[in-house]
Amino acid sequence: MKINQQDISIEKLVKDVNPRDNMKQDYGNGIYLSKQERNVLEKYHFSVENYANLKSLLFDIEEYLNENYEESLEDLENIADNLAELNYYQNTNK
């Protein structure tokens, strides 16, 4: 396949993008995470299995971010934003 006069291999593109890592998986109790998000949470010692629901996980992440505001935690902040959006759509009556 040619894109902008360059030969692009679809197989290589799929391997580089690795869409399966971005797919959300159900970890129970309304918690849906991609592999990448799960890895970041584990990096900061958040075990998804220990949370009864999405709100409690989100609360602990926000508390951690507030306690460590001087550190650069952009990866965790992005996950908190994504989870807050998910929580909004799951729990807001429309």
Side-chain angles (χ1 to χ4, degrees):
M1 166 190 277
K2 284 193 176 228
I3 298 177
N4 296 331
Q5 286 71 36
Q6 293 182 351
D7 284 326
I8 304 292
S9 165
I10 292 176
E11 290 81 15
K12 183 179 182 321
L13 183 61
V14 168
K15 185 178 179 183
D16 291 345
V17 173
N18 202 358
R20 292 190 188 266
D21 283 350
N22 294 322
M23 292 179 67
K24 304 280 185 179
Q25 296 177 9
D26 182 7
Y27 288 95
N29 301 321
I31 301 172
Y32 293 87
L33 300 168
S34 68
K35 284 184 182 179
Q36 293 171 337
E37 291 171 330
R38 174 89 189 241
N39 290 339
V40 171
L41 290 176
E42 288 175 353
K43 173 180 161 184
Y44 294 102
H45 308 290
F46 289 101
S47 180
V48 178
E49 294 81 19
N50 295 338
Y51 292 93
N53 55 42
L54 180 59
K55 287 181 182 182
S56 61
L57 173 59
L58 188 55
F59 179 81
D60 281 355
I61 292 172
E62 291 292 341
E63 190 173 89
Y64 183 87
L65 289 170
N66 289 335
E67 290 173 358
N68 298 285
Y69 64 90
E70 67 279 346
E71 295 180 37
S72 176
L73 303 171
E74 188 174 329
D75 53 352
L76 191 57
E77 289 173 5
N78 289 336
I79 292 173
D81 291 342
N82 291 341
L83 292 177
E85 183 177 356
L86 178 64
N87 183 52
Y88 173 81
Y89 286 109
Q90 281 183 343
N91 297 311
T92 301
N93 294 330
K94 295 166 191 85

XYZ file of all heavy atoms in Angstrom:
790
model
N 0.847 -1.159 0.000
C 0.000 0.000 0.000
C 0.902 1.234 0.000
O 1.908 1.265 0.679
C -0.903 -0.027 1.241
C -1.592 1.277 1.512
S -2.413 1.339 3.108
C -3.930 0.557 2.708
N 0.478 2.265 -0.760
C 1.249 3.507 -0.813
C 0.481 4.611 -0.114
O -0.698 4.814 -0.360
C 1.530 3.903 -2.255
C 2.601 3.078 -2.901
C 3.029 3.722 -4.191
C 4.172 2.912 -4.739
N 5.277 3.702 -5.136
N 1.181 5.288 0.784
C 0.636 6.464 1.455
C 1.677 7.561 1.313
O 2.827 7.378 1.713
C 0.341 6.179 2.942
C -0.700 5.080 3.068
C -0.110 7.446 3.645
C -1.002 4.665 4.488
N 1.268 8.685 0.728
C 2.197 9.799 0.478
C 3.428 9.342 -0.280
O 4.559 9.657 0.085
C 2.590 10.490 1.785
C 1.417 11.130 2.470
O 0.467 11.542 1.819
N 1.468 11.210 3.784
N 3.209 8.561 -1.293
C 4.258 8.029 -2.164
C 5.276 7.161 -1.415
O 6.409 6.993 -1.857
C 4.993 9.147 -2.924
C 4.211 9.781 -4.051
C 3.073 10.648 -3.592
O 3.170 11.327 -2.578
N 1.974 10.628 -4.331
N 4.895 6.601 -0.285
C 5.774 5.693 0.446
C 5.081 4.340 0.568
O 3.881 4.279 0.818
C 6.089 6.209 1.841
C 6.918 7.457 1.868
C 7.238 7.886 3.287
O 6.715 7.344 4.248
N 8.113 8.866 3.418
N 5.865 3.277 0.388
C 5.310 1.944 0.567
C 5.146 1.663 2.053
O 6.091 1.818 2.831
C 6.237 0.883 -0.055
C 6.123 0.858 -1.569
O 5.008 1.101 -2.073
O 7.134 0.585 -2.237
N 3.940 1.287 2.423
C 3.628 0.990 3.817
C 3.127 -0.444 3.896
O 2.212 -0.834 3.173
C 2.543 1.947 4.369
C 2.955 3.404 4.217
C 2.192 1.611 5.802
C 4.112 3.815 5.081
N 3.701 -1.208 4.774
C 3.259 -2.575 5.001
C 2.187 -2.575 6.084
O 2.421 -2.105 7.200
C 4.443 -3.443 5.440
O 3.989 -4.652 5.983
N 1.027 -3.094 5.753
C -0.061 -3.137 6.729
C 0.332 -4.002 7.923
O 0.049 -3.658 9.070
C -1.356 -3.647 6.069
C -1.836 -2.610 5.072
C -2.420 -3.938 7.118
C -3.048 -3.005 4.281
N 1.006 -5.103 7.667
C 1.435 -5.983 8.754
C 2.372 -5.258 9.716
O 2.244 -5.373 10.928
C 2.126 -7.244 8.203
C 1.193 -8.198 7.494
C 0.889 -7.781 6.054
O 1.599 -6.917 5.488
O -0.088 -8.312 5.512
N 3.312 -4.482 9.165
C 4.239 -3.738 10.014
C 3.508 -2.644 10.784
O 3.758 -2.425 11.973
C 5.368 -3.124 9.187
C 6.402 -2.392 10.027
C 7.493 -1.821 9.168
C 8.572 -1.112 9.940
N 8.180 -0.328 11.063
N 2.586 -1.990 10.116
C 1.815 -0.929 10.752
C 0.999 -1.480 11.928
O 1.007 -0.909 13.014
C 0.895 -0.262 9.731
C 0.069 0.909 10.208
C 0.972 2.038 10.682
C -0.843 1.395 9.103
N 0.341 -2.603 11.722
C -0.448 -3.216 12.793
C 0.470 -3.658 13.927
O 0.148 -3.481 15.103
C -1.282 -4.403 12.259
C -1.876 -5.221 13.394
C -2.376 -3.906 11.335
N 1.633 -4.194 13.580
C 2.579 -4.615 14.617
C 3.075 -3.421 15.426
O 3.186 -3.483 16.649
C 3.759 -5.342 13.978
C 4.732 -5.916 14.963
C 5.847 -6.664 14.265
C 6.826 -7.201 15.267
N 7.953 -7.873 14.633
N 3.340 -2.311 14.749
C 3.823 -1.112 15.436
C 2.750 -0.486 16.320
O 3.020 -0.053 17.432
C 4.321 -0.074 14.424
C 5.597 -0.503 13.720
O 6.253 -1.448 14.194
O 5.930 0.106 12.679
N 1.533 -0.429 15.823
C 0.439 0.195 16.567
C -0.072 -0.733 17.666
O -0.453 -0.278 18.744
C -0.710 0.588 15.602
C -1.914 1.082 16.372
C -0.237 1.633 14.620
N -0.077 -2.017 17.402
C -0.524 -3.050 18.344
C -1.887 -2.702 18.957
O -1.995 -2.398 20.146
C 0.523 -3.271 19.435
C 0.364 -4.632 20.074
O -0.547 -5.383 19.736
N 1.236 -4.945 20.998
N -2.937 -2.752 18.143
C -4.259 -2.329 18.603
C -4.815 -3.149 19.761
O -5.617 -2.651 20.539
C -5.135 -2.466 17.358
C -4.414 -3.417 16.479
C -2.957 -3.243 16.790
N -4.391 -4.382 19.919
C -4.904 -5.205 21.020
C -4.504 -4.640 22.385
O -5.215 -4.824 23.359
C -4.436 -6.640 20.891
C -5.056 -7.350 19.713
C -4.758 -8.830 19.749
N -5.180 -9.473 18.540
C -6.356 -10.061 18.388
N -7.206 -10.074 19.367
N -6.679 -10.627 17.244
N -3.368 -3.951 22.451
C -2.955 -3.350 23.723
C -3.830 -2.160 24.103
O -3.853 -1.760 25.254
C -1.491 -2.913 23.666
C -0.536 -4.082 23.806
O -0.998 -5.192 24.141
O 0.668 -3.887 23.583
N -4.528 -1.595 23.135
C -5.392 -0.443 23.413
C -6.844 -0.826 23.649
O -7.647 0.018 24.027
C -5.307 0.560 22.263
C -3.942 1.180 22.169
O -3.316 1.469 23.176
N -3.449 1.372 20.965
N -7.170 -2.092 23.422
C -8.546 -2.540 23.645
C -8.807 -2.657 25.141
O -7.968 -3.131 25.894
C -8.780 -3.888 22.958
C -8.756 -3.803 21.453
S -8.990 -5.392 20.668
C -10.663 -5.745 21.136
N -9.976 -2.214 25.538
C -10.349 -2.271 26.951
C -10.807 -3.676 27.313
O -11.507 -4.326 26.542
C -11.482 -1.291 27.245
C -11.186 0.135 26.871
C -10.360 0.804 27.892
C -10.201 2.282 27.522
N -9.435 2.996 28.475
N -10.390 -4.130 28.488
C -10.811 -5.426 29.023
C -11.570 -5.179 30.311
O -11.264 -4.253 31.061
C -9.603 -6.304 29.303
C -8.805 -6.666 28.083
C -7.577 -7.490 28.436
O -7.402 -7.919 29.561
N -6.726 -7.711 27.456
N -12.541 -6.027 30.577
C -13.342 -5.920 31.786
C -12.603 -6.609 32.926
O -12.325 -7.803 32.872
C -14.702 -6.567 31.561
C -15.614 -6.453 32.762
O -15.257 -5.762 33.738
O -16.711 -7.049 32.704
N -12.279 -5.840 33.965
C -11.622 -6.399 35.141
C -12.613 -6.569 36.293
O -12.223 -6.789 37.428
C -10.445 -5.514 35.566
C -9.291 -5.643 34.600
C -9.128 -4.740 33.559
C -8.389 -6.686 34.706
C -8.085 -4.862 32.665
C -7.351 -6.827 33.806
C -7.205 -5.908 32.791
O -6.170 -6.047 31.892
N -13.888 -6.456 35.971
C -14.932 -6.635 36.968
C -15.298 -5.335 37.643
O -14.538 -4.371 37.644
N -16.488 -5.314 38.206
C -16.980 -4.178 38.978
C -16.999 -2.871 38.183
O -16.789 -1.802 38.742
C -16.174 -4.004 40.262
C -16.227 -5.229 41.129
O -17.271 -5.869 41.234
N -15.120 -5.584 41.735
N -17.207 -2.964 36.884
C -17.289 -1.757 36.063
C -15.956 -1.125 35.738
O -15.904 0.026 35.325
N -14.873 -1.852 35.911
C -13.536 -1.329 35.634
C -13.055 -1.903 34.299
O -12.851 -3.107 34.172
C -12.546 -1.674 36.763
C -13.036 -1.085 38.091
C -11.146 -1.188 36.422
C -12.239 -1.522 39.292
N -12.913 -1.028 33.319
C -12.437 -1.408 31.996
C -11.121 -0.694 31.741
O -11.054 0.531 31.802
C -13.454 -1.008 30.921
C -14.739 -1.780 31.005
C -15.778 -1.351 31.820
C -14.913 -2.947 30.272
C -16.968 -2.058 31.907
C -16.093 -3.662 30.345
C -17.113 -3.216 31.163
O -18.272 -3.924 31.239
N -10.081 -1.483 31.441
C -8.748 -0.921 31.225
C -8.082 -1.592 30.033
O -8.314 -2.766 29.760
C -7.858 -1.162 32.445
C -8.291 -0.596 33.779
C -7.453 -1.171 34.897
C -8.186 0.912 33.755
N -7.205 -0.852 29.368
C -6.350 -1.448 28.350
C -5.129 -2.044 29.056
O -4.886 -1.769 30.232
C -5.910 -0.388 27.337
O -5.037 0.539 27.946
N -4.370 -2.829 28.329
C -3.142 -3.393 28.910
C -2.178 -2.284 29.326
O -1.534 -2.368 30.362
C -2.451 -4.327 27.918
C -3.089 -5.668 27.773
C -2.273 -6.555 26.848
C -2.944 -7.890 26.655
N -2.175 -8.756 25.747
N -2.089 -1.259 28.507
C -1.192 -0.148 28.815
C -1.620 0.552 30.095
O -0.784 0.884 30.945
C -1.159 0.846 27.654
C -0.525 0.285 26.411
C -0.691 1.204 25.209
O -1.597 2.038 25.166
N 0.177 1.037 24.223
N -2.920 0.785 30.240
C -3.417 1.433 31.455
C -3.171 0.552 32.672
O -2.751 1.040 33.728
C -4.912 1.730 31.324
C -5.221 2.804 30.318
C -6.696 2.945 30.029
O -7.433 1.940 30.113
O -7.114 4.071 29.713
N -3.395 -0.713 32.511
C -3.170 -1.656 33.613
C -1.703 -1.644 34.037
O -1.381 -1.643 35.227
C -3.605 -3.064 33.177
C -3.304 -4.167 34.137
C -4.427 -4.366 35.121
N -4.045 -5.283 36.156
C -4.636 -6.415 36.398
N -5.676 -6.788 35.696
N -4.225 -7.192 37.362
N -0.797 -1.627 33.071
C 0.636 -1.591 33.379
C 1.026 -0.332 34.143
O 1.831 -0.382 35.071
C 1.469 -1.710 32.101
C 1.384 -3.088 31.480
O 1.037 -4.061 32.135
N 1.691 -3.168 30.202
N 0.449 0.800 33.763
C 0.748 2.051 34.462
C 0.222 1.982 35.895
O 0.914 2.385 36.833
C 0.157 3.267 33.711
C 0.284 4.529 34.549
C 0.845 3.448 32.371
N -0.973 1.467 36.080
C -1.522 1.348 37.434
C -0.658 0.430 38.297
O -0.412 0.724 39.469
C -2.968 0.843 37.388
C -3.992 1.828 36.844
C -5.362 1.178 36.757
C -4.049 3.084 37.694
N -0.195 -0.663 37.722
C 0.690 -1.570 38.467
C 2.014 -0.896 38.805
O 2.590 -1.156 39.862
C 0.912 -2.854 37.675
C -0.315 -3.743 37.646
C -0.150 -4.969 36.777
O 0.877 -5.094 36.066
O -1.060 -5.819 36.799
N 2.488 -0.034 37.925
C 3.726 0.713 38.175
C 3.613 1.535 39.454
O 4.587 1.692 40.192
C 3.999 1.624 36.970
C 5.139 2.578 37.112
C 5.261 3.403 35.836
C 6.056 4.653 36.040
N 6.094 5.485 34.819
N 2.408 2.057 39.718
C 2.175 2.868 40.914
C 1.516 2.061 42.036
O 0.976 2.630 42.980
C 1.323 4.093 40.562
C 2.047 5.036 39.633
C 1.755 5.065 38.269
C 3.040 5.883 40.105
C 2.424 5.918 37.415
C 3.713 6.733 39.261
C 3.409 6.753 37.918
O 4.078 7.596 37.062
N 1.544 0.750 41.913
C 1.065 -0.187 42.942
C -0.440 -0.119 43.182
O -0.896 -0.285 44.311
C 1.832 0.006 44.255
C 3.308 -0.030 44.077
N 3.998 -1.176 43.758
C 4.233 0.961 44.115
C 5.279 -0.903 43.630
N 5.456 0.391 43.837
N -1.195 0.101 42.118
C -2.651 0.006 42.199
C -3.057 -1.349 41.650
O -2.858 -1.628 40.473
C -3.322 1.114 41.369
C -3.181 2.475 41.958
C -2.236 3.357 41.466
C -3.976 2.880 43.016
C -2.100 4.628 41.998
C -3.843 4.151 43.558
C -2.896 5.021 43.051
N -3.602 -2.189 42.500
C -4.064 -3.502 42.082
C -5.569 -3.429 41.851
O -6.350 -3.259 42.792
C -3.734 -4.540 43.154
O -4.187 -5.805 42.746
N -5.970 -3.568 40.613
C -7.365 -3.398 40.217
C -8.278 -4.370 40.961
O -9.412 -4.031 41.287
C -7.501 -3.579 38.689
C -8.935 -3.460 38.243
C -6.635 -2.586 37.960
N -7.785 -5.537 41.264
C -8.587 -6.553 41.938
C -9.009 -6.135 43.344
O -9.954 -6.690 43.903
C -7.825 -7.885 42.025
C -7.567 -8.536 40.688
C -6.363 -7.944 39.955
O -5.503 -7.281 40.588
O -6.298 -8.130 38.727
N -8.319 -5.170 43.929
C -8.626 -4.741 45.293
C -9.735 -3.695 45.373
O -10.048 -3.233 46.468
C -7.368 -4.168 45.963
C -6.311 -5.227 46.153
O -6.595 -6.417 46.186
N -5.066 -4.800 46.271
N -10.328 -3.329 44.243
C -11.319 -2.261 44.229
C -12.705 -2.819 43.931
O -12.889 -3.607 43.007
C -10.935 -1.172 43.220
C -9.700 -0.439 43.677
C -8.437 -0.838 43.264
C -9.795 0.607 44.573
C -7.292 -0.191 43.722
C -8.664 1.269 45.031
C -7.421 0.854 44.600
O -6.303 1.497 45.059
N -13.663 -2.359 44.713
C -15.037 -2.824 44.571
C -15.727 -2.186 43.367
O -16.666 -2.756 42.822
C -15.831 -2.525 45.835
N -15.260 -1.008 42.970
C -15.872 -0.337 41.823
C -14.917 0.714 41.256
O -13.864 0.995 41.827
C -17.214 0.296 42.205
C -17.094 1.242 43.375
O -16.154 2.024 43.466
N -18.040 1.163 44.296
N -15.337 1.275 40.158
C -14.526 2.273 39.459
C -14.341 3.531 40.297
O -13.265 4.122 40.313
C -15.180 2.607 38.117
C -14.486 3.620 37.232
C -13.075 3.157 36.885
C -15.294 3.852 35.969
N -15.367 3.925 41.018
C -15.287 5.149 41.828
C -14.203 5.047 42.896
O -13.469 6.004 43.136
C -16.627 5.440 42.488
C -17.668 5.951 41.544
C -18.954 6.249 42.280
C -20.025 6.710 41.325
N -21.273 7.046 42.010
N -14.092 3.897 43.549
C -13.082 3.755 44.599
C -11.670 3.758 44.017
O -10.755 4.337 44.600
C -13.330 2.502 45.439
O -13.265 1.334 44.652
N -11.490 3.140 42.859
C -10.186 3.174 42.183
C -9.846 4.607 41.800
O -8.734 5.077 42.059
C -10.194 2.281 40.946
C -8.959 2.333 40.042
C -7.698 1.941 40.801
C -9.160 1.453 38.818
N -10.794 5.297 41.222
C -10.577 6.677 40.804
C -10.268 7.573 42.002
O -9.375 8.424 41.937
C -11.800 7.196 40.049
C -11.699 8.537 39.378
C -10.522 8.594 38.420
C -12.980 8.833 38.622
N -10.949 7.358 43.100
C -10.705 8.131 44.315
C -9.261 7.945 44.790
O -8.569 8.918 45.106
C -11.678 7.710 45.418
C -11.474 8.445 46.709
C -12.003 9.714 46.890
C -10.724 7.881 47.730
C -11.804 10.404 48.083
C -10.516 8.557 48.926
C -11.057 9.822 49.104
N -8.785 6.696 44.840
C -7.417 6.425 45.299
C -6.370 7.014 44.348
O -5.335 7.512 44.792
C -7.190 4.930 45.483
C -7.781 4.407 46.774
O -8.283 5.212 47.586
O -7.739 3.175 46.979
N -6.634 6.961 43.053
C -5.700 7.535 42.091
C -5.625 9.051 42.288
O -4.530 9.628 42.335
C -6.099 7.201 40.638
C -5.935 5.704 40.382
C -5.261 8.004 39.654
C -6.493 5.244 39.045
N -6.779 9.699 42.426
C -6.803 11.149 42.635
C -6.109 11.528 43.941
O -5.376 12.522 43.999
C -8.241 11.674 42.633
C -8.923 11.601 41.284
C -8.351 12.542 40.255
O -7.665 13.516 40.619
O -8.587 12.301 39.054
N -6.315 10.735 44.967
C -5.652 10.990 46.255
C -4.130 10.876 46.106
O -3.379 11.704 46.609
C -6.167 10.001 47.293
C -5.729 10.307 48.706
C -6.422 9.395 49.695
O -5.872 8.300 49.963
O -7.498 9.771 50.182
N -3.684 9.848 45.389
C -2.246 9.656 45.145
C -1.676 10.845 44.366
O -0.597 11.346 44.683
C -2.025 8.353 44.378
C -0.577 8.033 44.130
C 0.172 7.335 45.065
C 0.055 8.426 42.950
C 1.506 7.040 44.841
C 1.380 8.146 42.718
C 2.109 7.449 43.667
O 3.438 7.169 43.431
N -2.410 11.286 43.342
C -1.949 12.422 42.550
C -1.864 13.687 43.398
O -0.907 14.463 43.265
C -2.876 12.655 41.353
C -2.811 11.614 40.242
C -3.941 11.820 39.251
C -1.467 11.638 39.539
N -2.838 13.901 44.268
C -2.825 15.083 45.136
C -1.682 15.042 46.138
O -1.086 16.073 46.451
C -4.160 15.225 45.862
C -5.274 15.641 44.932
O -5.036 16.256 43.893
N -6.499 15.287 45.284
N -1.367 13.862 46.650
C -0.281 13.725 47.620
C 1.090 13.869 46.966
O 2.058 14.234 47.628
C -0.367 12.371 48.323
C -1.538 12.252 49.273
C -1.711 10.856 49.832
O -0.939 9.934 49.455
O -2.634 10.659 50.640
N 1.183 13.564 45.687
C 2.460 13.590 44.971
C 2.447 14.617 43.847
O 2.992 14.392 42.772
C 2.753 12.192 44.403
C 2.881 11.157 45.482
O 3.883 11.105 46.185
N 1.849 10.346 45.655
N 1.842 15.763 44.123
C 1.656 16.778 43.086
C 2.965 17.325 42.539
O 3.017 17.817 41.417
C 0.783 17.921 43.608
C 1.397 18.695 44.749
C 2.202 19.802 44.526
C 1.180 18.291 46.067
C 2.764 20.498 45.573
C 1.740 18.977 47.121
C 2.529 20.079 46.868
O 3.097 20.756 47.913
N 4.043 17.252 43.298
C 5.308 17.813 42.828
C 6.011 16.897 41.825
O 6.926 17.324 41.126
C 6.243 18.119 44.008
C 6.755 16.913 44.768
C 5.766 16.342 45.796
O 4.783 16.998 46.131
O 6.009 15.212 46.244
N 5.581 15.655 41.732
C 6.187 14.705 40.788
C 5.506 14.804 39.427
O 4.362 15.222 39.328
C 6.049 13.280 41.320
C 6.817 13.023 42.595
C 6.649 11.595 43.073
O 6.592 10.682 42.225
O 6.563 11.401 44.291
N 6.217 14.389 38.406
C 5.639 14.327 37.070
C 4.952 12.973 36.908
O 5.609 11.955 36.758
C 6.730 14.490 36.018
O 6.179 14.345 34.738
N 3.638 12.983 36.961
C 2.846 11.752 36.889
C 1.857 11.822 35.732
O 0.695 11.444 35.858
C 2.100 11.536 38.212
C 2.962 11.475 39.469
C 2.108 11.479 40.712
C 3.845 10.242 39.430
N 2.324 12.280 34.608
C 1.451 12.499 33.461
C 0.742 11.222 33.017
O -0.438 11.253 32.664
C 2.247 13.088 32.302
C 1.386 13.516 31.147
C 2.178 14.238 30.081
O 3.170 14.908 30.408
O 1.780 14.130 28.913
N 1.450 10.093 33.052
C 0.824 8.839 32.636
C -0.340 8.468 33.552
O -1.414 8.074 33.094
C 1.840 7.705 32.549
C 2.664 7.503 33.814
O 2.577 8.337 34.751
O 3.416 6.516 33.877
N -0.175 8.660 34.842
C -1.240 8.358 35.789
C -2.370 9.387 35.693
O -3.547 9.036 35.817
C -0.675 8.300 37.212
C -1.589 7.754 38.293
C -2.059 6.343 37.957
C -0.881 7.769 39.636
N -2.028 10.624 35.442
C -3.046 11.661 35.261
C -3.929 11.364 34.054
O -5.148 11.563 34.103
C -2.393 13.032 35.105
C -1.778 13.566 36.372
C -0.990 14.853 36.163
O -1.007 15.394 35.032
O -0.372 15.309 37.122
N -3.319 10.884 32.972
C -4.089 10.535 31.776
C -5.073 9.406 32.065
O -6.216 9.436 31.606
C -3.156 10.144 30.624
C -2.411 11.319 30.065
O -2.839 12.458 30.172
N -1.260 11.051 29.462
N -4.630 8.436 32.824
C -5.521 7.327 33.184
C -6.648 7.828 34.075
O -7.806 7.445 33.898
C -4.736 6.186 33.856
C -3.824 5.537 32.824
C -5.677 5.161 34.472
C -2.887 4.512 33.363
N -6.338 8.698 35.010
C -7.374 9.264 35.878
C -8.411 10.015 35.040
O -9.619 9.881 35.293
C -6.751 10.187 36.917
N -7.965 10.757 34.049
C -8.893 11.474 33.171
C -9.782 10.497 32.401
O -10.993 10.692 32.294
C -8.138 12.373 32.196
C -7.473 13.558 32.870
O -7.849 13.900 34.014
O -6.562 14.144 32.244
N -9.170 9.449 31.863
C -9.934 8.448 31.107
C -10.945 7.734 31.998
O -12.083 7.504 31.591
C -8.995 7.418 30.475
C -8.150 7.994 29.365
O -8.469 9.038 28.805
N -7.061 7.327 29.049
N -10.531 7.387 33.206
C -11.432 6.695 34.127
C -12.553 7.618 34.598
O -13.691 7.171 34.777
C -10.667 6.136 35.326
C -9.707 4.989 35.023
C -8.960 4.576 36.270
C -10.437 3.809 34.413
N -12.255 8.890 34.786
C -13.290 9.851 35.185
C -14.333 9.984 34.079
O -15.537 10.050 34.357
C -12.659 11.200 35.506
N -13.890 10.000 32.848
C -14.825 10.069 31.727
C -15.672 8.809 31.646
O -16.891 8.867 31.467
C -14.055 10.277 30.426
C -14.937 10.441 29.221
C -14.143 10.723 27.951
O -12.920 10.865 27.997
O -14.800 10.809 26.900
N -15.040 7.649 31.805
C -15.764 6.383 31.810
C -16.788 6.356 32.939
O -17.939 5.961 32.747
C -14.784 5.214 31.948
C -15.388 3.821 32.015
C -16.113 3.472 30.721
C -14.290 2.796 32.295
N -16.381 6.802 34.106
C -17.278 6.848 35.259
C -18.472 7.764 34.982
O -19.609 7.433 35.319
C -16.520 7.324 36.494
C -17.382 7.332 37.725
O -18.016 6.335 38.056
N -17.413 8.460 38.403
N -18.223 8.885 34.361
C -19.292 9.819 34.026
C -20.331 9.145 33.128
O -21.528 9.210 33.386
C -18.719 11.060 33.341
C -19.785 11.982 32.810
C -20.434 12.870 33.652
C -20.147 11.946 31.469
C -21.432 13.713 33.174
C -21.134 12.784 30.981
C -21.776 13.662 31.834
O -22.762 14.485 31.355
N -19.861 8.496 32.080
C -20.801 7.872 31.137
C -21.479 6.640 31.704
O -22.606 6.315 31.319
C -20.094 7.561 29.812
C -19.849 8.795 29.009
C -18.572 9.312 28.847
C -20.909 9.500 28.457
C -18.359 10.476 28.128
C -20.706 10.666 27.727
C -19.428 11.141 27.571
O -19.225 12.302 26.860
N -20.835 5.940 32.621
C -21.455 4.767 33.226
C -22.483 5.141 34.289
O -23.464 4.449 34.474
C -20.395 3.871 33.891
C -19.628 3.016 32.943
C -18.654 2.099 33.673
O -18.333 2.321 34.844
N -18.168 1.107 32.989
N -22.256 6.222 35.004
C -23.059 6.496 36.192
C -23.891 7.762 36.140
O -24.457 8.157 37.147
C -22.126 6.555 37.407
C -21.448 5.223 37.627
O -22.077 4.188 37.653
N -20.121 5.249 37.751
N -23.976 8.406 35.002
C -24.786 9.613 34.889
C -26.095 9.271 34.202
O -26.094 8.674 33.117
C -24.050 10.702 34.092
O -22.830 11.001 34.756
C -24.881 11.956 33.984
N -27.181 9.624 34.832
C -28.500 9.416 34.217
C -28.692 10.439 33.112
O -28.514 11.637 33.333
C -29.613 9.559 35.250
C -29.557 8.462 36.284
O -29.123 7.355 36.002
N -30.008 8.771 37.483
N -29.038 9.946 31.983
C -29.188 10.837 30.819
C -30.649 10.999 30.485
O -31.489 10.252 30.699
C -28.427 10.276 29.640
C -26.938 10.264 29.918
C -26.235 9.402 28.893
C -24.827 9.168 29.286
N -24.568 8.128 30.163
